[in-house]
Amino acid sequence: MSDFRIETNCVQAGYKPKNGDPRVLPIAQSTTYFYESSEHMAKLFDLSAAGHLYTRISNPTCEAVEAKIAALEGGVAAVLTSSGQAASLMSVFNICHAGQHCLCSAALYGGTFNLFDKTMREMGIEFDFVDPDAPIEEINALFKDNTRCVFVESVSNPSLTVLDIEKWVDAAHSHGVPLIVDNTFPTAINFRPFDWGADIVVHSTSKYMDGHAVALGGCLIDGGKFDWTKDNKYPELTTPDESYHGVIYTEQFGAAAYGTKARTHLMRDLGSMMSPENAFLLNIGLETLHLRVPRHCENALAVARYLEADDRIEWVNFAGLESSKYYERAQKYMPNGTCGVVSFGVKGGREAATKFMDSLKLAAIVTHVADARTCVLHPASTTHRQLSDADLVACGVSPDLIRFSVGIENVEDIIADIDQALEKATK
């Protein structure tokens, strides 16, 4: 499948039926799997034979979708998770433990920030957050002897910062640690972090990948190129795991060591696997990903240009606009578009923003983003509500910021809805 282009892989990768098999990926609705001998089962528990032990660890339906996503991103292994939050947690926790350190971009989704700054900090892991546009010298100064990884978003939610990934790859690798990239907003259609040197990719598959707001999920993808054996910095991958009778992941699984450990260790113990039904629905969404993402981006650019020309709007942030400070960077890394999300402020501040959203008829106020339907949210009072004013500034979220997720409806209808809502909000 890797020889096919990405559009073909959206449709064909992952599942290849044999003679007489269902043409469409089946749902393997079973928690357990039958084997003819206890010897074979023992080999599965030793990780010395391929196969499915239990759906908490792997499942045939999930496996096919994992293979498809790995093909889309260009990775060697993928692990589906119950949510994007679970994928982010596992991506760090797979190699970073109590007493160790993770360096992060400050421009993060609010849920990810809370996960790191609250829950994982309570687990004993130290986090530092830095402006993604900070000079390389400032970023380098934050690395410590116990730094184990770096976590960033390719296009941040909701501030829409476009990451200078080459700078961050250089920073991480110069300190001997991997770069983890949340690639939810661009998806592999617009941007493939592994092509630019990243090591691990995560997604909230609930967004564009699913595309229809029907299946919660996440995914963790292993790029397979980071040298985990260098300087003996990652003993969890290079020394025996006694919970699997001494298996050494780098020796037994080679390039897929990180991804295999995430599945066989963390998924085994945390139990955050995606259900087969959700994997089935996700696969249906993936089959049209290459068609939907360009439409999202096309519509979003038209909306952004309309907003930029409207004197009822205080400011607009969208990297596809020539006036954007991220325009040149986006052209370099994501020339076909970044995503379908536009952020902006209505003149009149938070009160006008609320009135604008309440006046929309086509666009819905929902706790979601990046699906086929146009939707809108006020992050400062919802997804980022728990953050302090200082944290909001660091994340690029102003009090008046409206996150407008442009769907795939007729763009003239979307713009007409914005116009009538602005008329009511700015009277």
Side-chain angles (χ1 to χ4, degrees), residues 11-17 21-29 59-68 80 275-287:
V11 180
Q12 296 283 351
Y15 175 63
K16 187 172 179 59
D21 283 350
R23 179 65 185 90
V24 175
L25 173 66
I27 301 174
Q29 187 57 46
N59 169 278
T61 306
C62 296
E63 181 181 48
V65 182
E66 288 165 344
K68 175 173 287 189
L80 287 176
S275 72
E277 297 97 328
N278 276 11
F280 174 84
L281 293 168
L282 170 58
N283 187 61
I284 292 175
L286 289 169
E287 289 179 351

PDB file of all heavy atoms in Angstrom, residues 11-17 21-29 59-68 80 275-287:
ATOM      1  N   VAL A  11      -8.599   5.289   0.808  1.00  0.00           N
ATOM      2  CA  VAL A  11      -9.654   4.345   0.446  1.00  0.00           C
ATOM      3  C   VAL A  11      -9.213   2.894   0.624  1.00  0.00           C
ATOM      4  O   VAL A  11      -9.962   2.060   1.145  1.00  0.00           O
ATOM      5  CB  VAL A  11     -10.099   4.582  -1.017  1.00  0.00           C
ATOM      6  CG1 VAL A  11     -11.210   3.610  -1.412  1.00  0.00           C
ATOM      7  CG2 VAL A  11     -10.553   6.020  -1.221  1.00  0.00           C
ATOM      8  N   GLN A  12      -7.979   2.587   0.219  1.00  0.00           N
ATOM      9  CA  GLN A  12      -7.571   1.189   0.068  1.00  0.00           C
ATOM     10  C   GLN A  12      -6.679   0.638   1.175  1.00  0.00           C
ATOM     11  O   GLN A  12      -6.660  -0.590   1.392  1.00  0.00           O
ATOM     12  CB  GLN A  12      -6.825   1.022  -1.266  1.00  0.00           C
ATOM     13  CG  GLN A  12      -7.671   1.280  -2.494  1.00  0.00           C
ATOM     14  CD  GLN A  12      -8.597   0.118  -2.807  1.00  0.00           C
ATOM     15  OE1 GLN A  12      -8.509  -0.945  -2.208  1.00  0.00           O
ATOM     16  NE2 GLN A  12      -9.504   0.325  -3.754  1.00  0.00           N
ATOM     17  N   ALA A  13      -5.939   1.466   1.871  1.00  0.00           N
ATOM     18  CA  ALA A  13      -4.945   0.945   2.818  1.00  0.00           C
ATOM     19  C   ALA A  13      -5.603   0.298   4.030  1.00  0.00           C
ATOM     20  O   ALA A  13      -6.723   0.638   4.413  1.00  0.00           O
ATOM     21  CB  ALA A  13      -4.004   2.064   3.267  1.00  0.00           C
ATOM     22  N   GLY A  14      -4.888  -0.644   4.630  1.00  0.00           N
ATOM     23  CA  GLY A  14      -5.298  -1.242   5.897  1.00  0.00           C
ATOM     24  C   GLY A  14      -6.001  -2.565   5.785  1.00  0.00           C
ATOM     25  O   GLY A  14      -5.632  -3.529   6.449  1.00  0.00           O
ATOM     26  N   TYR A  15      -7.008  -2.640   4.940  1.00  0.00           N
ATOM     27  CA  TYR A  15      -7.806  -3.871   4.821  1.00  0.00           C
ATOM     28  C   TYR A  15      -7.777  -4.376   3.393  1.00  0.00           C
ATOM     29  O   TYR A  15      -8.134  -3.657   2.460  1.00  0.00           O
ATOM     30  CB  TYR A  15      -9.245  -3.607   5.243  1.00  0.00           C
ATOM     31  CG  TYR A  15     -10.174  -4.789   5.036  1.00  0.00           C
ATOM     32  CD1 TYR A  15      -9.980  -5.980   5.728  1.00  0.00           C
ATOM     33  CD2 TYR A  15     -11.249  -4.699   4.146  1.00  0.00           C
ATOM     34  CE1 TYR A  15     -10.828  -7.069   5.535  1.00  0.00           C
ATOM     35  CE2 TYR A  15     -12.103  -5.783   3.952  1.00  0.00           C
ATOM     36  CZ  TYR A  15     -11.890  -6.958   4.648  1.00  0.00           C
ATOM     37  OH  TYR A  15     -12.731  -8.038   4.464  1.00  0.00           O
ATOM     38  N   LYS A  16      -7.323  -5.614   3.228  1.00  0.00           N
ATOM     39  CA  LYS A  16      -7.285  -6.232   1.902  1.00  0.00           C
ATOM     40  C   LYS A  16      -8.013  -7.570   1.985  1.00  0.00           C
ATOM     41  O   LYS A  16      -7.465  -8.559   2.473  1.00  0.00           O
ATOM     42  CB  LYS A  16      -5.843  -6.432   1.435  1.00  0.00           C
ATOM     43  CG  LYS A  16      -5.739  -6.919  -0.004  1.00  0.00           C
ATOM     44  CD  LYS A  16      -4.308  -6.927  -0.484  1.00  0.00           C
ATOM     45  CE  LYS A  16      -4.202  -7.428  -1.923  1.00  0.00           C
ATOM     46  NZ  LYS A  16      -4.970  -6.606  -2.865  1.00  0.00           N
ATOM     47  N   PRO A  17      -9.255  -7.629   1.537  1.00  0.00           N
ATOM     48  CA  PRO A  17     -10.011  -8.870   1.648  1.00  0.00           C
ATOM     49  C   PRO A  17      -9.435  -9.974   0.780  1.00  0.00           C
ATOM     50  O   PRO A  17      -8.913  -9.723  -0.306  1.00  0.00           O
ATOM     51  CB  PRO A  17     -11.417  -8.471   1.179  1.00  0.00           C
ATOM     52  CG  PRO A  17     -11.210  -7.258   0.332  1.00  0.00           C
ATOM     53  CD  PRO A  17     -10.024  -6.555   0.904  1.00  0.00           C
ATOM     54  N   ASP A  21     -13.998 -12.991   1.238  1.00  0.00           N
ATOM     55  CA  ASP A  21     -14.131 -12.139   2.425  1.00  0.00           C
ATOM     56  C   ASP A  21     -15.077 -10.973   2.147  1.00  0.00           C
ATOM     57  O   ASP A  21     -15.310 -10.614   0.987  1.00  0.00           O
ATOM     58  CB  ASP A  21     -12.772 -11.575   2.836  1.00  0.00           C
ATOM     59  CG  ASP A  21     -11.901 -12.585   3.547  1.00  0.00           C
ATOM     60  OD1 ASP A  21     -12.416 -13.674   3.890  1.00  0.00           O
ATOM     61  OD2 ASP A  21     -10.718 -12.295   3.753  1.00  0.00           O
ATOM     62  N   PRO A  22     -15.612 -10.346   3.201  1.00  0.00           N
ATOM     63  CA  PRO A  22     -16.422  -9.139   3.005  1.00  0.00           C
ATOM     64  C   PRO A  22     -15.613  -8.054   2.290  1.00  0.00           C
ATOM     65  O   PRO A  22     -14.433  -7.844   2.600  1.00  0.00           O
ATOM     66  CB  PRO A  22     -16.781  -8.711   4.425  1.00  0.00           C
ATOM     67  CG  PRO A  22     -16.638  -9.949   5.247  1.00  0.00           C
ATOM     68  CD  PRO A  22     -15.536 -10.736   4.619  1.00  0.00           C
ATOM     69  N   ARG A  23     -16.241  -7.380   1.354  1.00  0.00           N
ATOM     70  CA  ARG A  23     -15.555  -6.313   0.622  1.00  0.00           C
ATOM     71  C   ARG A  23     -15.283  -5.121   1.529  1.00  0.00           C
ATOM     72  O   ARG A  23     -14.263  -4.449   1.407  1.00  0.00           O
ATOM     73  CB  ARG A  23     -16.420  -5.865  -0.568  1.00  0.00           C
ATOM     74  CG  ARG A  23     -15.787  -4.735  -1.393  1.00  0.00           C
ATOM     75  CD  ARG A  23     -14.506  -5.213  -2.058  1.00  0.00           C
ATOM     76  NE  ARG A  23     -13.817  -4.127  -2.748  1.00  0.00           N
ATOM     77  CZ  ARG A  23     -12.904  -3.333  -2.189  1.00  0.00           C
ATOM     78  NH1 ARG A  23     -12.594  -3.487  -0.909  1.00  0.00           N
ATOM     79  NH2 ARG A  23     -12.310  -2.391  -2.890  1.00  0.00           N
ATOM     80  N   VAL A  24     -16.213  -4.833   2.447  1.00  0.00           N
ATOM     81  CA  VAL A  24     -16.074  -3.723   3.387  1.00  0.00           C
ATOM     82  C   VAL A  24     -15.476  -4.248   4.690  1.00  0.00           C
ATOM     83  O   VAL A  24     -15.802  -5.355   5.132  1.00  0.00           O
ATOM     84  CB  VAL A  24     -17.451  -3.072   3.648  1.00  0.00           C
ATOM     85  CG1 VAL A  24     -17.351  -1.998   4.722  1.00  0.00           C
ATOM     86  CG2 VAL A  24     -18.014  -2.492   2.358  1.00  0.00           C
ATOM     87  N   LEU A  25     -14.613  -3.460   5.292  1.00  0.00           N
ATOM     88  CA  LEU A  25     -13.988  -3.844   6.558  1.00  0.00           C
ATOM     89  C   LEU A  25     -15.043  -4.286   7.567  1.00  0.00           C
ATOM     90  O   LEU A  25     -15.942  -3.507   7.920  1.00  0.00           O
ATOM     91  CB  LEU A  25     -13.200  -2.657   7.119  1.00  0.00           C
ATOM     92  CG  LEU A  25     -12.603  -2.825   8.526  1.00  0.00           C
ATOM     93  CD1 LEU A  25     -11.517  -3.895   8.536  1.00  0.00           C
ATOM     94  CD2 LEU A  25     -12.051  -1.501   9.029  1.00  0.00           C
ATOM     95  N   PRO A  26     -14.971  -5.533   8.068  1.00  0.00           N
ATOM     96  CA  PRO A  26     -15.972  -6.001   9.027  1.00  0.00           C
ATOM     97  C   PRO A  26     -15.674  -5.510  10.448  1.00  0.00           C
ATOM     98  O   PRO A  26     -14.527  -5.184  10.775  1.00  0.00           O
ATOM     99  CB  PRO A  26     -15.855  -7.533   8.972  1.00  0.00           C
ATOM    100  CG  PRO A  26     -14.799  -7.841   7.960  1.00  0.00           C
ATOM    101  CD  PRO A  26     -14.039  -6.584   7.682  1.00  0.00           C
ATOM    102  N   ILE A  27     -16.715  -5.480  11.266  1.00  0.00           N
ATOM    103  CA  ILE A  27     -16.551  -5.191  12.682  1.00  0.00           C
ATOM    104  C   ILE A  27     -16.326  -6.514  13.411  1.00  0.00           C
ATOM    105  O   ILE A  27     -17.198  -7.375  13.422  1.00  0.00           O
ATOM    106  CB  ILE A  27     -17.782  -4.489  13.271  1.00  0.00           C
ATOM    107  CG1 ILE A  27     -18.054  -3.178  12.526  1.00  0.00           C
ATOM    108  CG2 ILE A  27     -17.592  -4.218  14.760  1.00  0.00           C
ATOM    109  CD1 ILE A  27     -19.335  -2.480  12.954  1.00  0.00           C
ATOM    110  N   ALA A  28     -15.154  -6.677  13.993  1.00  0.00           N
ATOM    111  CA  ALA A  28     -14.845  -7.876  14.782  1.00  0.00           C
ATOM    112  C   ALA A  28     -15.352  -7.638  16.199  1.00  0.00           C
ATOM    113  O   ALA A  28     -14.607  -7.193  17.084  1.00  0.00           O
ATOM    114  CB  ALA A  28     -13.352  -8.166  14.771  1.00  0.00           C
ATOM    115  N   GLN A  29     -16.637  -7.922  16.414  1.00  0.00           N
ATOM    116  CA  GLN A  29     -17.277  -7.624  17.695  1.00  0.00           C
ATOM    117  C   GLN A  29     -17.045  -8.780  18.664  1.00  0.00           C
ATOM    118  O   GLN A  29     -17.926  -9.587  18.945  1.00  0.00           O
ATOM    119  CB  GLN A  29     -18.770  -7.366  17.485  1.00  0.00           C
ATOM    120  CG  GLN A  29     -19.501  -6.871  18.729  1.00  0.00           C
ATOM    121  CD  GLN A  29     -18.874  -5.609  19.282  1.00  0.00           C
ATOM    122  OE1 GLN A  29     -18.583  -4.685  18.523  1.00  0.00           O
ATOM    123  NE2 GLN A  29     -18.643  -5.560  20.569  1.00  0.00           N
ATOM    124  N   ASN A  59      -7.363  -5.596  18.058  1.00  0.00           N
ATOM    125  CA  ASN A  59      -8.590  -6.120  17.492  1.00  0.00           C
ATOM    126  C   ASN A  59      -8.452  -6.060  15.970  1.00  0.00           C
ATOM    127  O   ASN A  59      -7.861  -5.103  15.443  1.00  0.00           O
ATOM    128  CB  ASN A  59      -9.776  -5.277  17.986  1.00  0.00           C
ATOM    129  CG  ASN A  59     -11.061  -5.574  17.264  1.00  0.00           C
ATOM    130  OD1 ASN A  59     -11.301  -5.069  16.167  1.00  0.00           O
ATOM    131  ND2 ASN A  59     -11.907  -6.374  17.879  1.00  0.00           N
ATOM    132  N   PRO A  60      -8.971  -7.033  15.233  1.00  0.00           N
ATOM    133  CA  PRO A  60      -8.789  -7.021  13.772  1.00  0.00           C
ATOM    134  C   PRO A  60      -9.326  -5.770  13.078  1.00  0.00           C
ATOM    135  O   PRO A  60      -8.693  -5.260  12.145  1.00  0.00           O
ATOM    136  CB  PRO A  60      -9.555  -8.273  13.325  1.00  0.00           C
ATOM    137  CG  PRO A  60      -9.531  -9.186  14.501  1.00  0.00           C
ATOM    138  CD  PRO A  60      -9.624  -8.278  15.694  1.00  0.00           C
ATOM    139  N   THR A  61     -10.480  -5.269  13.511  1.00  0.00           N
ATOM    140  CA  THR A  61     -11.019  -4.049  12.896  1.00  0.00           C
ATOM    141  C   THR A  61     -10.112  -2.866  13.192  1.00  0.00           C
ATOM    142  O   THR A  61      -9.757  -2.086  12.296  1.00  0.00           O
ATOM    143  CB  THR A  61     -12.439  -3.765  13.407  1.00  0.00           C
ATOM    144  OG1 THR A  61     -13.249  -4.915  13.208  1.00  0.00           O
ATOM    145  CG2 THR A  61     -13.050  -2.583  12.676  1.00  0.00           C
ATOM    146  N   CYS A  62      -9.733  -2.723  14.450  1.00  0.00           N
ATOM    147  CA  CYS A  62      -8.835  -1.629  14.831  1.00  0.00           C
ATOM    148  C   CYS A  62      -7.490  -1.757  14.118  1.00  0.00           C
ATOM    149  O   CYS A  62      -6.913  -0.750  13.673  1.00  0.00           O
ATOM    150  CB  CYS A  62      -8.628  -1.627  16.342  1.00  0.00           C
ATOM    151  SG  CYS A  62     -10.136  -1.285  17.285  1.00  0.00           S
ATOM    152  N   GLU A  63      -6.996  -2.964  14.003  1.00  0.00           N
ATOM    153  CA  GLU A  63      -5.697  -3.196  13.365  1.00  0.00           C
ATOM    154  C   GLU A  63      -5.690  -2.696  11.924  1.00  0.00           C
ATOM    155  O   GLU A  63      -4.717  -2.084  11.461  1.00  0.00           O
ATOM    156  CB  GLU A  63      -5.371  -4.687  13.407  1.00  0.00           C
ATOM    157  CG  GLU A  63      -4.030  -5.048  12.787  1.00  0.00           C
ATOM    158  CD  GLU A  63      -3.775  -6.541  12.836  1.00  0.00           C
ATOM    159  OE1 GLU A  63      -4.683  -7.322  12.458  1.00  0.00           O
ATOM    160  OE2 GLU A  63      -2.672  -6.945  13.250  1.00  0.00           O
ATOM    161  N   ALA A  64      -6.774  -2.944  11.190  1.00  0.00           N
ATOM    162  CA  ALA A  64      -6.849  -2.497   9.805  1.00  0.00           C
ATOM    163  C   ALA A  64      -6.837  -0.975   9.708  1.00  0.00           C
ATOM    164  O   ALA A  64      -6.171  -0.393   8.843  1.00  0.00           O
ATOM    165  CB  ALA A  64      -8.114  -3.055   9.145  1.00  0.00           C
ATOM    166  N   VAL A  65      -7.562  -0.318  10.613  1.00  0.00           N
ATOM    167  CA  VAL A  65      -7.611   1.144  10.589  1.00  0.00           C
ATOM    168  C   VAL A  65      -6.266   1.731  11.031  1.00  0.00           C
ATOM    169  O   VAL A  65      -5.809   2.745  10.498  1.00  0.00           O
ATOM    170  CB  VAL A  65      -8.770   1.661  11.452  1.00  0.00           C
ATOM    171  CG1 VAL A  65      -8.852   3.180  11.400  1.00  0.00           C
ATOM    172  CG2 VAL A  65     -10.089   1.050  10.988  1.00  0.00           C
ATOM    173  N   GLU A  66      -5.620   1.082  11.990  1.00  0.00           N
ATOM    174  CA  GLU A  66      -4.280   1.507  12.401  1.00  0.00           C
ATOM    175  C   GLU A  66      -3.308   1.445  11.233  1.00  0.00           C
ATOM    176  O   GLU A  66      -2.494   2.362  11.022  1.00  0.00           O
ATOM    177  CB  GLU A  66      -3.789   0.623  13.550  1.00  0.00           C
ATOM    178  CG  GLU A  66      -4.503   0.885  14.860  1.00  0.00           C
ATOM    179  CD  GLU A  66      -4.292  -0.209  15.897  1.00  0.00           C
ATOM    180  OE1 GLU A  66      -3.844  -1.323  15.534  1.00  0.00           O
ATOM    181  OE2 GLU A  66      -4.586   0.039  17.082  1.00  0.00           O
ATOM    182  N   ALA A  67      -3.393   0.378  10.459  1.00  0.00           N
ATOM    183  CA  ALA A  67      -2.503   0.241   9.297  1.00  0.00           C
ATOM    184  C   ALA A  67      -2.775   1.334   8.275  1.00  0.00           C
ATOM    185  O   ALA A  67      -1.842   1.854   7.639  1.00  0.00           O
ATOM    186  CB  ALA A  67      -2.682  -1.142   8.666  1.00  0.00           C
ATOM    187  N   LYS A  68      -4.044   1.693   8.109  1.00  0.00           N
ATOM    188  CA  LYS A  68      -4.381   2.769   7.169  1.00  0.00           C
ATOM    189  C   LYS A  68      -3.791   4.101   7.634  1.00  0.00           C
ATOM    190  O   LYS A  68      -3.174   4.821   6.836  1.00  0.00           O
ATOM    191  CB  LYS A  68      -5.903   2.895   7.018  1.00  0.00           C
ATOM    192  CG  LYS A  68      -6.339   4.065   6.144  1.00  0.00           C
ATOM    193  CD  LYS A  68      -7.836   4.070   5.881  1.00  0.00           C
ATOM    194  CE  LYS A  68      -8.201   2.973   4.903  1.00  0.00           C
ATOM    195  NZ  LYS A  68      -9.609   3.063   4.450  1.00  0.00           N
ATOM    196  N   LEU A  80      -4.577   2.820  17.882  1.00  0.00           N
ATOM    197  CA  LEU A  80      -5.807   3.567  18.111  1.00  0.00           C
ATOM    198  C   LEU A  80      -6.103   3.637  19.600  1.00  0.00           C
ATOM    199  O   LEU A  80      -5.881   2.673  20.330  1.00  0.00           O
ATOM    200  CB  LEU A  80      -6.982   2.903  17.389  1.00  0.00           C
ATOM    201  CG  LEU A  80      -7.030   3.037  15.869  1.00  0.00           C
ATOM    202  CD1 LEU A  80      -8.199   2.254  15.307  1.00  0.00           C
ATOM    203  CD2 LEU A  80      -7.122   4.504  15.444  1.00  0.00           C
ATOM    204  N   SER A 275     -12.985   1.253  20.526  1.00  0.00           N
ATOM    205  CA  SER A 275     -13.892   0.134  20.291  1.00  0.00           C
ATOM    206  C   SER A 275     -13.896  -0.234  18.809  1.00  0.00           C
ATOM    207  O   SER A 275     -13.658   0.622  17.945  1.00  0.00           O
ATOM    208  CB  SER A 275     -15.309   0.496  20.726  1.00  0.00           C
ATOM    209  OG  SER A 275     -15.875   1.429  19.823  1.00  0.00           O
ATOM    210  N   PRO A 276     -14.168  -1.501  18.475  1.00  0.00           N
ATOM    211  CA  PRO A 276     -14.249  -1.893  17.064  1.00  0.00           C
ATOM    212  C   PRO A 276     -15.297  -1.101  16.281  1.00  0.00           C
ATOM    213  O   PRO A 276     -15.082  -0.766  15.110  1.00  0.00           O
ATOM    214  CB  PRO A 276     -14.617  -3.380  17.134  1.00  0.00           C
ATOM    215  CG  PRO A 276     -14.158  -3.839  18.469  1.00  0.00           C
ATOM    216  CD  PRO A 276     -14.318  -2.662  19.378  1.00  0.00           C
ATOM    217  N   GLU A 277     -16.437  -0.788  16.928  1.00  0.00           N
ATOM    218  CA  GLU A 277     -17.474  -0.017  16.235  1.00  0.00           C
ATOM    219  C   GLU A 277     -16.960   1.371  15.867  1.00  0.00           C
ATOM    220  O   GLU A 277     -17.201   1.866  14.755  1.00  0.00           O
ATOM    221  CB  GLU A 277     -18.723   0.128  17.112  1.00  0.00           C
ATOM    222  CG  GLU A 277     -19.394  -1.187  17.433  1.00  0.00           C
ATOM    223  CD  GLU A 277     -18.971  -1.716  18.788  1.00  0.00           C
ATOM    224  OE1 GLU A 277     -17.814  -1.479  19.200  1.00  0.00           O
ATOM    225  OE2 GLU A 277     -19.797  -2.355  19.437  1.00  0.00           O
ATOM    226  N   ASN A 278     -16.261   2.026  16.801  1.00  0.00           N
ATOM    227  CA  ASN A 278     -15.737   3.353  16.508  1.00  0.00           C
ATOM    228  C   ASN A 278     -14.652   3.298  15.435  1.00  0.00           C
ATOM    229  O   ASN A 278     -14.534   4.211  14.609  1.00  0.00           O
ATOM    230  CB  ASN A 278     -15.200   4.006  17.784  1.00  0.00           C
ATOM    231  CG  ASN A 278     -16.303   4.671  18.582  1.00  0.00           C
ATOM    232  OD1 ASN A 278     -17.476   4.488  18.309  1.00  0.00           O
ATOM    233  ND2 ASN A 278     -15.940   5.442  19.585  1.00  0.00           N
ATOM    234  N   ALA A 279     -13.856   2.239  15.441  1.00  0.00           N
ATOM    235  CA  ALA A 279     -12.840   2.079  14.397  1.00  0.00           C
ATOM    236  C   ALA A 279     -13.496   1.914  13.027  1.00  0.00           C
ATOM    237  O   ALA A 279     -13.024   2.456  12.020  1.00  0.00           O
ATOM    238  CB  ALA A 279     -11.948   0.889  14.716  1.00  0.00           C
ATOM    239  N   PHE A 280     -14.581   1.163  12.978  1.00  0.00           N
ATOM    240  CA  PHE A 280     -15.331   0.980  11.737  1.00  0.00           C
ATOM    241  C   PHE A 280     -15.850   2.318  11.215  1.00  0.00           C
ATOM    242  O   PHE A 280     -15.717   2.649  10.029  1.00  0.00           O
ATOM    243  CB  PHE A 280     -16.491   0.014  11.990  1.00  0.00           C
ATOM    244  CG  PHE A 280     -17.426  -0.148  10.823  1.00  0.00           C
ATOM    245  CD1 PHE A 280     -17.133  -1.042   9.802  1.00  0.00           C
ATOM    246  CD2 PHE A 280     -18.595   0.587  10.748  1.00  0.00           C
ATOM    247  CE1 PHE A 280     -17.996  -1.201   8.722  1.00  0.00           C
ATOM    248  CE2 PHE A 280     -19.465   0.443   9.668  1.00  0.00           C
ATOM    249  CZ  PHE A 280     -19.158  -0.453   8.651  1.00  0.00           C
ATOM    250  N   LEU A 281     -16.436   3.127  12.103  1.00  0.00           N
ATOM    251  CA  LEU A 281     -16.944   4.439  11.702  1.00  0.00           C
ATOM    252  C   LEU A 281     -15.809   5.373  11.289  1.00  0.00           C
ATOM    253  O   LEU A 281     -15.937   6.140  10.329  1.00  0.00           O
ATOM    254  CB  LEU A 281     -17.747   5.052  12.846  1.00  0.00           C
ATOM    255  CG  LEU A 281     -19.062   4.338  13.187  1.00  0.00           C
ATOM    256  CD1 LEU A 281     -19.620   4.856  14.506  1.00  0.00           C
ATOM    257  CD2 LEU A 281     -20.071   4.499  12.068  1.00  0.00           C
ATOM    258  N   LEU A 282     -14.704   5.299  12.012  1.00  0.00           N
ATOM    259  CA  LEU A 282     -13.538   6.113  11.657  1.00  0.00           C
ATOM    260  C   LEU A 282     -13.045   5.764  10.259  1.00  0.00           C
ATOM    261  O   LEU A 282     -12.702   6.644   9.472  1.00  0.00           O
ATOM    262  CB  LEU A 282     -12.426   5.894  12.690  1.00  0.00           C
ATOM    263  CG  LEU A 282     -11.051   6.475  12.366  1.00  0.00           C
ATOM    264  CD1 LEU A 282     -11.124   7.983  12.154  1.00  0.00           C
ATOM    265  CD2 LEU A 282     -10.059   6.140  13.478  1.00  0.00           C
ATOM    266  N   ASN A 283     -13.033   4.481   9.931  1.00  0.00           N
ATOM    267  CA  ASN A 283     -12.567   4.061   8.617  1.00  0.00           C
ATOM    268  C   ASN A 283     -13.438   4.634   7.501  1.00  0.00           C
ATOM    269  O   ASN A 283     -12.934   5.052   6.454  1.00  0.00           O
ATOM    270  CB  ASN A 283     -12.556   2.538   8.525  1.00  0.00           C
ATOM    271  CG  ASN A 283     -11.914   2.050   7.244  1.00  0.00           C
ATOM    272  OD1 ASN A 283     -10.745   2.313   6.985  1.00  0.00           O
ATOM    273  ND2 ASN A 283     -12.685   1.346   6.421  1.00  0.00           N
ATOM    274  N   ILE A 284     -14.736   4.693   7.734  1.00  0.00           N
ATOM    275  CA  ILE A 284     -15.629   5.288   6.742  1.00  0.00           C
ATOM    276  C   ILE A 284     -15.274   6.767   6.542  1.00  0.00           C
ATOM    277  O   ILE A 284     -15.241   7.260   5.412  1.00  0.00           O
ATOM    278  CB  ILE A 284     -17.098   5.125   7.172  1.00  0.00           C
ATOM    279  CG1 ILE A 284     -17.495   3.646   7.117  1.00  0.00           C
ATOM    280  CG2 ILE A 284     -18.026   5.956   6.285  1.00  0.00           C
ATOM    281  CD1 ILE A 284     -18.881   3.368   7.638  1.00  0.00           C
ATOM    282  N   GLY A 285     -14.986   7.457   7.644  1.00  0.00           N
ATOM    283  CA  GLY A 285     -14.572   8.847   7.525  1.00  0.00           C
ATOM    284  C   GLY A 285     -13.263   9.009   6.781  1.00  0.00           C
ATOM    285  O   GLY A 285     -13.105   9.901   5.938  1.00  0.00           O
ATOM    286  N   LEU A 286     -12.309   8.139   7.061  1.00  0.00           N
ATOM    287  CA  LEU A 286     -11.006   8.225   6.413  1.00  0.00           C
ATOM    288  C   LEU A 286     -11.091   8.048   4.894  1.00  0.00           C
ATOM    289  O   LEU A 286     -10.283   8.613   4.153  1.00  0.00           O
ATOM    290  CB  LEU A 286     -10.059   7.170   6.993  1.00  0.00           C
ATOM    291  CG  LEU A 286      -9.572   7.414   8.420  1.00  0.00           C
ATOM    292  CD1 LEU A 286      -8.865   6.182   8.961  1.00  0.00           C
ATOM    293  CD2 LEU A 286      -8.641   8.627   8.471  1.00  0.00           C
ATOM    294  N   GLU A 287     -12.061   7.289   4.448  1.00  0.00           N
ATOM    295  CA  GLU A 287     -12.177   7.029   3.008  1.00  0.00           C
ATOM    296  C   GLU A 287     -12.476   8.298   2.217  1.00  0.00           C
ATOM    297  O   GLU A 287     -12.172   8.368   1.021  1.00  0.00           O
ATOM    298  CB  GLU A 287     -13.247   5.968   2.757  1.00  0.00           C
ATOM    299  CG  GLU A 287     -12.810   4.572   3.199  1.00  0.00           C
ATOM    300  CD  GLU A 287     -13.870   3.510   2.970  1.00  0.00           C
ATOM    301  OE1 GLU A 287     -15.023   3.881   2.613  1.00  0.00           O
ATOM    302  OE2 GLU A 287     -13.564   2.311   3.140  1.00  0.00           O
TER     303      GLU A 287
END
